[in-house]
Amino acid sequence: MSSPHLQLPLSRRGFLMASAGAGAALGLAALPAEAAPAEAAARSRPFGRYGSPAARLTPKTLYVDGQGRGDHTTVQAAVRAATTAGHTLVIAPGVYRETVSAGVVDPATGQRTEAAAEMTWIGASENPRDVVIVYDNAAGTKKPDGSGTYGTTGSATTLIRTDGFTARWITFANDWLRADHPEITGTQAVAIKVLGDRSAFHHCRFLGHQDTLYADSFALSVFARQYYAHCYVEGDVDFVFGRGTAVYENCHFRTLNRTDLSSAPYGFVFAPSTAGANPLGYLVLRSRISSAAPDAYYKLARPWVPSSDTTARPSLTVRNTWLGPGIDAVAPYTNMSDAFPWQNQRFAEYRNTGPGAEITAPANRPQLTDEQAESATRAAYLGDWTPWKGER
């Protein structure tokens, strides 16, 4: 999303351990160093308990392995092979440096097809550090064919344009860095853009700087439901943004340090752009927000009202969540544009804890009443879709 006055520096290099299955290094020191699968076991059983091409779990299970032990060596090749709905991709440990687009859009009509609907991607080791899908395009990166730059959406490492998508134990990342490209001013660099309804992510990681996780929908009139459980998201500027109806439960959001700015704010965690007709935007519950930056150097949110939809009324409720000292407790919200004050949007909190949740200026911390909080639940946001059932 556009933010021309903010410049993104190198706050930490993302990153890669090139050796597949070695526990991808797109991680933060703040996270515990989870052990990668034993090297010998990874060699003999790259797909863990999920079968293999010789012992396929179902006819619609496809195996991805960069070392050539699966059906395909890239994620995108496996997605192209999933020509009917209901496929599962089992992805062996490795760093997959590629862009991936799931879901097909008819270029003549702009309408999506259902060929890739109800697709599931599984990180075979069940550790998201081991399976990394990463690329390094930014909004201002020039396209190889000379037709211009990628733009924010085009910068996405992974693009999900289908309904019924599920991912488990995968890292989605964009490791583009401003320090490497001082000539580029379009610094948005999306790790994943999600458009489809009923999109669920369990135990996944989303790594980047600006515009890391783009939780969106296909159109203003489409209220795409998304669910993120036990996920980790990091960034600095508007790094969770878009107009989707999204629930973030038991997630960890981490704000990065910056070296190019000498004063606050360094950035903003959430930047919803909820359509005015949509009663529900982002709901964050039972989560935590930590920081690698100095205390109070980050805002919790600012509203994004795109030029393409000036009727948007961004919606964000953060409840029962721990807000670390990195969040400015006195003024946690700010404007992206003074024409659309945050006070006119749908921002609210409820029973948050931590130093960043301290209410020192009540006018700056809109709170739900107990009665209002009864409607701020995952069931209210997601309706008859219950992606948390049966998950561990």
Side-chain angles (χ1 to χ4, degrees):
M1 146 203 44
S2 177
S3 179
H5 62 287
L6 283 171
Q7 301 296 303
L8 284 186
L10 167 62
S11 58
R12 64 102 178 85
R13 178 83 189 173
F15 10 131
L16 289 169
M17 290 171 62
S19 56
L26 286 155
L28 292 270
L31 288 180
E34 300 160 284
E39 189 173 343
R43 282 199 302 267
S44 61
R45 296 185 60 199
F47 304 108
R49 64 187 178 95
Y50 295 98
S52 68
R56 203 174 300 276
L57 293 187
T58 72
K60 288 192 174 184
T61 301
L62 299 175
Y63 296 89
V64 182
D65 175 44
Q67 304 301 309
R69 297 164 294 184
D71 299 307
H72 305 278
T73 57
T74 68
V75 179
Q76 186 62 71
V79 169
R80 289 196 192 100
T83 56
T84 58
H87 274 80
T88 295
L89 273 55
V90 179
I91 308 173
V95 175
Y96 297 86
R97 179 162 282 279
E98 58 177 306
T99 58
V100 183
S101 179
V104 180
V105 175
D106 185 329
T109 65
Q111 298 297 309
R112 56 201 159 117
T113 73
E114 297 305 316
E118 313 303 327
M119 179 181 286
T120 297
W121 297 1
I122 296 174
S125 71
E126 302 184 18
N127 182 340
R129 292 176 179 270
D130 292 339
V131 176
V132 181
I133 302 171
V134 60
Y135 209 73
D136 60 349
N137 283 330
T141 301
K142 293 181 179 179
K143 295 180 180 179
D145 62 4
S147 61
T149 58
Y150 282 102
T152 299
T153 292
S155 76
T157 298
T158 301
L159 178 61
I160 304 301
R161 300 182 297 181
T162 184
D163 294 337
F165 178 84
T166 300
R168 297 184 180 91
W169 305 297
I170 295 173
T171 291
F172 300 91
N174 189 317
D175 64 351
W176 186 90
L177 294 172
R178 168 172 294 279
D180 293 345
H181 303 280
E183 77 284 3
I184 292 179
T185 57
T187 57
Q188 301 85 355
V190 177
I192 187 170
K193 180 172 183 177
V194 185
L195 294 163
D197 185 38
R198 295 178 292 107
S199 298
F201 297 82
H202 303 270
H203 303 280
C204 289
R205 300 195 306 156
F206 306 91
L207 309 182
H209 286 268
Q210 181 172 0
D211 291 8
T212 304
L213 172 54
Y214 197 167
D216 207 44
S217 73
F218 278 98
L220 295 179
S221 59
V222 178
F223 304 155
R225 296 166 295 174
Q226 301 173 23
Y227 180 67
Y228 301 82
H230 305 283
C231 290
Y232 172 85
V233 194
E234 71 175 25
D236 48 26
V237 178
D238 306 330
F239 63 94
V240 182
F241 74 111
R243 66 172 174 241
T245 296
V247 174
Y248 306 89
E249 184 171 20
N250 294 312
C251 290
H252 178 188
F253 304 90
R254 183 152 177 90
T255 61
L256 299 175
N257 198 13
R258 300 182 63 173
T259 58
D260 62 324
L261 297 180
S262 58
S263 61
Y266 276 3
F268 321 90
V269 181
F270 301 100
S273 59
T274 321
N278 187 352
L280 302 168
Y282 289 175
L283 173 64
V284 180
L285 70 159
R286 293 186 287 276
S287 295
R288 59 190 290 247
I289 300 176
S290 66
S291 183
D295 291 356
Y297 268 51
Y298 273 87
K299 302 293 187 180
L300 182 60
R302 62 178 183 170
W304 177 30
V305 179
S307 58
S308 60
D309 177 25
T310 57
T311 65
R313 285 200 64 214
S315 170
L316 168 71
T317 295
V318 181
R319 60 171 299 173
N320 305 98
T321 289
W322 184 84
L323 308 182
I327 298 300
D328 180 358
V330 176
Y333 305 102
T334 191
N335 299 336
M336 185 175 294
S337 166
D338 289 341
F340 304 100
W342 73 263
Q343 294 91 340
N344 293 348
Q345 313 311 322
R346 295 174 286 179
F347 287 175
E349 301 176 54
Y350 182 72
R351 293 190 178 180
N352 294 322
T353 59
E358 184 178 353
I359 302 175
T360 58
N364 293 338
R365 307 299 299 252
Q367 302 290 312
L368 298 179
T369 65
D370 290 344
E371 182 179 5
Q372 289 171 330
E374 292 178 0
S375 299
T377 65
R378 62 188 183 184
Y381 275 62
L382 303 181
D384 59 357
W385 180 49
T386 57
W388 57 84
K389 290 188 176 180
E391 291 297 328
R392 57 189 174 91

